[in-house]
Amino acid sequence: MSALKPVLALVGRPNVGKSTLFNRLTRTRDALVANQPGLTRDRKYGEGKLGDARYIVIDTGGLSDDQQDIDSFMAVQSWQAVEEADQILFLVDAHDGLLPGDHKIADRIRQTGKPVHLIVNKIDGLNEDLVLGDFYKLGFDNIFAIAAERGRGVTGMISELTRDFEIYDDEEQGSLGIKVAVIGRPNVGKSTLVNRILGEERVVTFDLPGTTRDSIYLPFERDEQQYTLIDTAGVRRRGKVSEAVEKFSVIKSLQAIADSNVVLMMLDASEGVTEQDASLIGFITDAGRALVIAINKWDGLSQDQRDKVRRELDLKLPFINYAKHHFISALHGSGVGDLFASIQKAYRSAMADIATPRLTRLMNDLVSANPPPLVRGRRVKMRYAHQGGKNPPVIVIHGNQTQSLPDSYKRYLINSFRKHLKLMGTPVRVEFKTGDNPFKDRKNKLTGRQIAKRRRLMKHTKRK
């Protein structure tokens, strides 16, 4: 089985730079960042990668040493993140120096027994040796000095942290076949669907949210194809996760997404598309996983309710128009058998091998049909394309000034590649590589004739 991605939790006082570091580690702007303490009040999850090492990062709210806030919602969320994590990144502010609140947080973190790395942030402009000497009083051996806003020291820090991580292999299959993660909010019918597919009570089901506490791997065979179903704990709004035994459900589900080939996302037709559903689908898309959507409990709806659900799907999930929708009843079995054709198609699309000549020809046809806009009076040139990865398919385009292509044109290429290559159920990523100009630092030496012509032109200009 593929190694699950390690989990890193960012904790510390308010305004020490946790959200800025989160954005650096995940290469996103998902966390709100401003010079104001307490902006992050809930846990936020993201995915990061350095070379072959991959990891999940949890951004948390600030921990205060004020006794009135010790049991606040924000503090509870932060300590839950600590319990979910494999490693803890404890951030402190180099400009503030060592404060009493840092000592209290350090004492609490030390009780977890988990690996702790002390991250001294905002080190730019300060004497590094002098600052670190003060923070050594906290008693941690692993100390890193960084400036998250500028990126100074971040790559070196994460390289050191991920050195002993297991290599996560996207293409590792073994005897697991197609790994399908069944994802959705609590009580949406995930375990009922798994039982229906397997034809036996392999997973305990009750009409109670959150019955499944961990991810369960269930291998089986259908039509001579090997599968492994990953039944996950329900993902509920994190503000409502209060029971100690339930607080691991979110991270287990996110790890299951990362460990799957295809995600079967279940929605509750009676509730429509919730904000939590859209957020979870966004994470699946960011992870690059193939996707099939199953709208469960369809049998009990009136025609008006069904029309409303279809409108919500179009309105709230326009960014996943590539995913196949199935309207099913896990309890009664209607529509369940049709899921597997879409799962296989999504898997084949995600793992497709596409020849370089075919991609280059298609790219040239797309550019001819709709040329890219001019950039500073010059046309962007795209020379050739090749496949750069699978699960999801990655298409790498080489050319000149490709970094100047507008997002609208990139979307045109992505949608066109997916359509013409008949890739269904999987996101497609297009990366651009701009070659260096070989004449960039080279001066053209004029011939004698060119020099004489230039002199004549200069004389003519002076006469005027």
Side-chain angles (χ1 to χ4, degrees), residues 436-444:
D436 292 331
N437 184 351
F439 304 102
K440 180 180 175 184
D441 298 317
R442 194 165 138 193
K443 289 187 177 181
N444 187 23

Side-chain angles (χ1 to χ4, degrees), residues 328-464:
I328 69 168
S329 171
L331 187 61
H332 301 109
S334 59
V336 173
D338 298 332
L339 292 171
F340 287 90
S342 294
I343 289 171
Q344 288 196 17
K345 176 65 175 175
Y347 175 73
R348 287 195 299 268
S349 296
M351 305 300 289
D353 287 310
I354 312 166
T356 297
R358 183 185 179 191
L359 281 175
T360 301
R361 282 195 303 270
L362 178 53
M363 178 199 72
N364 290 332
D365 291 342
L366 296 177
V367 171
S368 298
N370 182 15
L374 295 174
V375 178
R376 293 184 293 275
R378 298 177 60 190
R379 186 78 64 188
V380 175
K381 293 181 180 178
M382 287 176 276
R383 303 191 183 283
Y384 69 98
H386 65 89
Q387 187 171 6
K390 302 177 184 178
N391 199 25
V394 179
I395 298 170
V396 182
I397 295 177
H398 295 258
N400 294 343
Q401 299 189 98
T402 55
Q403 73 281 358
S404 300
L405 281 172
D407 290 339
S408 58
Y409 196 80
K410 292 177 182 178
R411 286 194 296 272
Y412 158 71
L413 291 175
I414 290 172
N415 292 333
S416 299
F417 275 124
R418 182 185 293 115
K419 176 183 175 182
H420 290 281
L421 296 172
K422 298 180 179 178
L423 301 176
M424 188 198 83
T426 180
V428 175
R429 293 179 178 168
V430 175
E431 297 178 357
F432 297 90
K433 302 288 185 183
T434 298
D436 292 331
N437 184 351
F439 304 102
K440 180 180 175 184
D441 298 317
R442 194 165 138 193
K443 289 187 177 181
N444 187 23
K445 189 174 181 181
L446 299 178
T447 64
R449 186 175 178 181
Q450 289 172 324
I451 293 172
K453 183 178 181 181
R454 175 175 285 186
R455 285 174 180 165
R456 287 197 303 273
L457 287 171
M458 290 176 67
K459 286 180 182 178
H460 179 70
T461 304
K462 287 179 181 177
R463 287 196 195 107
K464 286 187 176 181

Side-chain angles (χ1 to χ4, degrees), residues 198-385:
L198 296 174
E200 55 180 301
E201 292 293 320
R202 290 279 292 273
V203 183
V204 177
T205 60
F206 296 103
D207 188 18
L208 177 69
T211 303
T212 307
R213 304 299 188 183
D214 206 341
S215 299
I216 304 169
Y217 287 71
L218 301 163
F220 75 103
E221 182 177 332
R222 179 188 175 98
D223 297 332
E224 300 183 354
Q225 170 65 57
Q226 293 289 332
Y227 296 89
T228 296
L229 286 178
I230 310 174
D231 182 32
T232 61
V235 180
R236 65 179 64 204
R237 289 189 66 82
R238 291 190 290 275
K240 297 181 180 178
V241 178
S242 55
E243 295 180 45
V245 76
E246 283 188 13
K247 61 192 172 189
F248 299 96
S249 65
V250 175
I251 204 68
K252 291 295 183 184
S253 295
L254 299 187
Q255 286 177 321
I257 290 169
D259 196 33
S260 67
N261 302 121
V262 181
V263 175
L264 181 57
M265 175 70 192
M266 292 190 68
L267 307 178
D268 189 331
S270 62
E271 296 184 15
V273 182
T274 67
E275 183 182 342
Q276 185 74 355
D277 292 328
S279 175
L280 191 55
I281 291 173
F283 189 91
I284 295 167
T285 305
D286 291 342
R289 290 298 169 260
L291 176 63
V292 177
I293 296 178
I295 299 92
N296 192 26
K297 308 178 185 179
W298 191 247
D299 287 0
L301 299 188
S302 66
Q303 188 58 48
D304 287 344
Q305 289 173 315
R306 292 182 177 186
D307 292 340
K308 181 182 176 183
V309 171
R310 287 192 173 98
R311 286 194 300 270
E312 278 195 7
L313 288 170
D314 293 337
L315 183 65
K316 295 185 178 181
L317 303 177
F319 57 95
I320 52 157
N321 56 357
Y322 55 84
K324 183 75 173 175
H325 295 171
H326 290 267
F327 302 95
I328 69 168
S329 171
L331 187 61
H332 301 109
S334 59
V336 173
D338 298 332
L339 292 171
F340 287 90
S342 294
I343 289 171
Q344 288 196 17
K345 176 65 175 175
Y347 175 73
R348 287 195 299 268
S349 296
M351 305 300 289
D353 287 310
I354 312 166
T356 297
R358 183 185 179 191
L359 281 175
T360 301
R361 282 195 303 270
L362 178 53
M363 178 199 72
N364 290 332
D365 291 342
L366 296 177
V367 171
S368 298
N370 182 15
L374 295 174
V375 178
R376 293 184 293 275
R378 298 177 60 190
R379 186 78 64 188
V380 175
K381 293 181 180 178
M382 287 176 276
R383 303 191 183 283
Y384 69 98

Side-chain angles (χ1 to χ4, degrees), residues 152-197:
R152 173 185 165 190
V154 174
T155 301
M157 176 197 73
I158 201 64
S159 297
E160 183 70 21
L161 296 184
T162 59
R163 188 174 55 186
D164 297 325
F165 284 5
E166 293 185 65
I167 300 302
Y168 184 86
D169 187 356
D170 277 330
E171 300 183 21
E172 179 185 320
Q173 292 299 314
S175 60
L176 295 176
I178 301 175
K179 291 182 290 182
V180 182
V182 185
I183 301 293
R185 291 178 295 107
N187 210 30
V188 76
K190 298 182 299 299
S191 296
T192 303
L193 177 62
V194 170
N195 286 334
R196 172 65 60 178
I197 291 172

Side-chain angles (χ1 to χ4, degrees), residues 21-256:
L21 181 58
F22 175 89
N23 290 344
R24 282 280 177 190
L25 295 179
T26 60
R27 298 181 183 179
T28 67
R29 294 181 180 271
D30 284 349
L32 289 174
V33 178
N35 188 24
Q36 179 180 347
L39 267 181
T40 307
R41 297 193 176 275
D42 198 355
R43 286 172 291 171
K44 188 167 189 65
Y45 296 82
E47 185 178 11
K49 176 183 177 182
L50 183 69
D52 291 326
R54 302 188 182 188
Y55 48 87
I56 291 174
V57 187
I58 313 176
D59 184 25
T60 67
L63 292 167
S64 171
D65 60 343
D66 188 340
Q67 289 300 314
Q68 292 180 347
D69 291 338
I70 200 70
D71 293 322
S72 68
F73 170 75
M74 196 157 60
V76 169
Q77 290 289 308
S78 296
W79 292 121
Q80 285 179 353
V82 167
E83 293 191 43
E84 291 177 354
D86 299 305
Q87 299 188 31
I88 302 166
L89 274 57
F90 175 25
L91 269 74
V92 292
D93 190 323
H95 284 270
D96 290 346
L98 185 58
L99 298 179
D102 296 324
H103 281 287
K104 291 184 179 181
I105 296 170
D107 291 341
R108 176 77 180 270
I109 290 175
R110 200 175 281 111
Q111 294 173 15
T112 67
K114 296 185 177 183
V116 180
H117 308 280
L118 183 63
I119 314 298
V120 183
N121 192 25
K122 307 180 186 179
I123 198 70
D124 38 341
L126 300 177
N127 185 314
E128 187 173 313
D129 294 334
L130 192 63
V131 171
L132 292 185
D134 194 24
F135 284 106
Y136 273 112
K137 296 175 185 176
L138 290 173
F140 295 111
D141 295 329
N142 300 327
I143 300 185
F144 298 91
I146 68 166
E149 189 169 357
R150 297 176 179 273
R152 173 185 165 190
V154 174
T155 301
M157 176 197 73
I158 201 64
S159 297
E160 183 70 21
L161 296 184
T162 59
R163 188 174 55 186
D164 297 325
F165 284 5
E166 293 185 65
I167 300 302
Y168 184 86
D169 187 356
D170 277 330
E171 300 183 21
E172 179 185 320
Q173 292 299 314
S175 60
L176 295 176
I178 301 175
K179 291 182 290 182
V180 182
V182 185
I183 301 293
R185 291 178 295 107
N187 210 30
V188 76
K190 298 182 299 299
S191 296
T192 303
L193 177 62
V194 170
N195 286 334
R196 172 65 60 178
I197 291 172
L198 296 174
E200 55 180 301
E201 292 293 320
R202 290 279 292 273
V203 183
V204 177
T205 60
F206 296 103
D207 188 18
L208 177 69
T211 303
T212 307
R213 304 299 188 183
D214 206 341
S215 299
I216 304 169
Y217 287 71
L218 301 163
F220 75 103
E221 182 177 332
R222 179 188 175 98
D223 297 332
E224 300 183 354
Q225 170 65 57
Q226 293 289 332
Y227 296 89
T228 296
L229 286 178
I230 310 174
D231 182 32
T232 61
V235 180
R236 65 179 64 204
R237 289 189 66 82
R238 291 190 290 275
K240 297 181 180 178
V241 178
S242 55
E243 295 180 45
V245 76
E246 283 188 13
K247 61 192 172 189
F248 299 96
S249 65
V250 175
I251 204 68
K252 291 295 183 184
S253 295
L254 299 187
Q255 286 177 321

